[in-house]
């Protein structure tokens, strides 16, 4: 079932999103060679809880951690671990925050130390793909318009778009209808309505889009070993256009 949110509910989700965005801003300087993704996990959980929030992923469908920390060829749902990160690693940190009963969800990509030119370009294309998709999140547009815009851009830049994991509705629970694919046909799919709150979270690969699952039942890897990048925002569909609820203040550059 799709739930439409009131302006009051959207404002509450925006407060949750502001806390989540603040975590990501602090990770920019926290992530460096020698720390581990477990260090990221501990930092994120302490930050959220010390600011009155709850790490909402803990316990969701049996998941044990506050973050998903996916490294290099891991597409998503990577477990935090104690192996040190090295210069050039690409870490995608995904988290959900519950604050005063309201949900938000955002993933951001970080390079450890210095990025190679190839990975820097992957990050730039993935982030731009996110905002290209967000531009299509307008009242009256269809879900296929979002995916088509992302797919057309990313594939035009020589990358591939993951099919197995998609964006989603959010609030009051983490995952709700509708599903928001990052590929598809323009003019197809459910029509977007005022009050919908969704995530857009393209996962873009250097190689093929196909994936394989880790025996842990959670972590997805690229099948061909190519690297994968992801950026994600939570946003509300409004008459004035898409309202970012997890904004870090950087979207104006795209």
């Amino acid at each position: 079932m799709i739930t439409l949110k009131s302006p009051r509910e959207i404002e509450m989700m925006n407060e949750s999103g502001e806390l989540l965005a603040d975590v990501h801003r602090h990770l920019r300087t926290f992530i460096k060679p020698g720390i581990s993704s477990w260090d990221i996990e501990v930092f994120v959980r302490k930050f959220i809880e010390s600011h009155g929030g709850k790490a909402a992923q803990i316990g969701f469908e049996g998941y044990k951690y506050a973050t998903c920390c996916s490294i290099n060829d891991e597409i998503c749902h990577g477990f935090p671990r104690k192996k040190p990160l090295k210069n050039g690693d690409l870490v995608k940190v995904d988290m959900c925050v519950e604050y005063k009963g309201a949900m938000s969800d955002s993933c951001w990509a970080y390079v450890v130390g210095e990025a190679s030119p190839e990975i820097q370009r992957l990050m730039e294309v993935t982030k731009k793909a996110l905002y290209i998709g967000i531009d299509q999140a307008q009242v009256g547009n269809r879900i296929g318009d979002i995916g088509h815009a992302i797919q057309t851009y990313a594939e035009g830049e020589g990358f591939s778009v993951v099919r197995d994991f998609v964006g989603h509705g959010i609030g009051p629970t983490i995952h709700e209808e509708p599903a928001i694919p990052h590929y598809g046909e323009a003019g197809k799919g459910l029509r977007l309505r005022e009050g919908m709150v969704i995530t857009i979270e393209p996962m873009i690969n250097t190689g093929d889009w196909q994936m394989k699952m880790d025996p842990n039942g959670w972590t997805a890897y690229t099948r061909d070993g190519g690297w994968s990048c992801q950026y994600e925002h939570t946003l509300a569909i409004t008459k004035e256009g898409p309202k970012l609820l997890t904004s870090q203040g950087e979207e104006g550059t795209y």
Side-chain angles (χ1 to χ4, degrees):
M1 183 178 71
I2 297 170
T3 61
L4 300 180
K5 278 70 176 180
S6 68
R8 177 178 174 275
E9 288 172 315
I10 290 172
E11 182 54 39
M12 291 175 64
M13 296 179 78
N14 191 44
E15 290 184 27
S16 175
E18 287 175 351
L19 172 54
L20 199 164
D22 202 23
V23 181
H24 278 306
R25 281 190 288 264
H26 280 78
L27 287 177
R28 297 177 194 176
T29 53
F30 182 79
I31 295 175
K32 60 189 66 175
I35 73 162
S36 67
S37 55
W38 184 255
D39 294 325
I40 297 172
E41 164 75 11
V42 172
F43 175 86
V44 167
R45 184 168 181 177
K46 286 183 177 179
F47 191 102
I48 293 170
E49 293 177 352
S50 68
H51 287 77
K54 177 181 177 182
Q57 286 182 171
I58 298 175
F60 177 70
E61 296 184 353
Y63 194 74
K64 298 179 180 180
Y65 308 105
T67 62
C68 295
C69 291
S70 307
I71 302 167
N72 299 340
D73 64 333
E74 296 172 350
I75 297 171
C76 59
H77 304 156
F79 288 0
R81 70 215 80 165
K82 296 184 178 180
K83 181 180 178 181
L85 296 167
K86 62 183 184 301
N87 186 67
D89 281 341
L90 178 62
V91 185
K92 291 82 68 175
V93 183
D94 191 0
M95 70 188 84
C96 298
V97 168
E98 181 182 344
Y99 181 70
K100 298 180 180 179
M103 290 286 185
S104 58
D105 185 1
S106 179
C107 178
W108 218 248
Y110 303 88
V111 68
V112 180
E114 297 182 3
S116 68
E118 179 187 25
I119 299 309
Q120 184 65 43
R121 184 165 176 270
L122 171 65
M123 296 171 73
E124 290 170 355
V125 168
T126 306
K127 188 183 287 186
K128 187 169 182 178
L130 167 65
Y131 291 113
I132 285 173
I134 289 171
D135 285 344
Q136 294 297 317
Q138 308 284 345
V139 172
N141 276 6
R142 294 188 181 272
I143 287 175
D145 297 327
I146 297 172
H148 178 75
I150 290 171
Q151 182 181 15
T152 299
Y153 169 68
E155 291 182 352
E157 294 294 322
F159 297 98
S160 66
V161 180
V162 171
R163 309 289 201 274
D164 301 272
F165 302 96
V166 298
H168 51 86
I170 182 171
T173 59
I174 293 176
H175 279 187
E176 296 191 352
E177 295 294 329
I180 312 291
H182 306 110
Y183 60 93
E185 296 183 50
K188 300 290 186 179
L190 186 75
R191 197 176 294 279
L192 299 171
R193 297 173 59 191
E194 182 182 9
M196 287 182 174
V197 179
I198 61 173
T199 72
I200 299 177
E201 47 186 297
M203 286 150 269
I204 307 298
N205 297 347
T206 59
D208 192 81
W209 64 265
Q210 294 179 315
M211 67 94 179
K212 59 184 178 182
M213 287 297 298
D214 189 276
N216 66 25
W218 281 94
T219 307
Y221 294 80
T222 61
R223 184 174 294 183
D224 61 6
W227 283 22
S228 187
C229 188
Q230 181 187 13
Y231 289 94
E232 173 190 14
H233 273 311
T234 298
L235 58 134
I237 309 297
T238 77
K239 288 181 180 178
E240 292 75 33
K243 176 181 174 61
L244 294 186
L245 306 182
T246 50
S247 169
Q248 297 180 40
E250 294 185 339
E251 56 275 1
T253 61
Y254 287 90

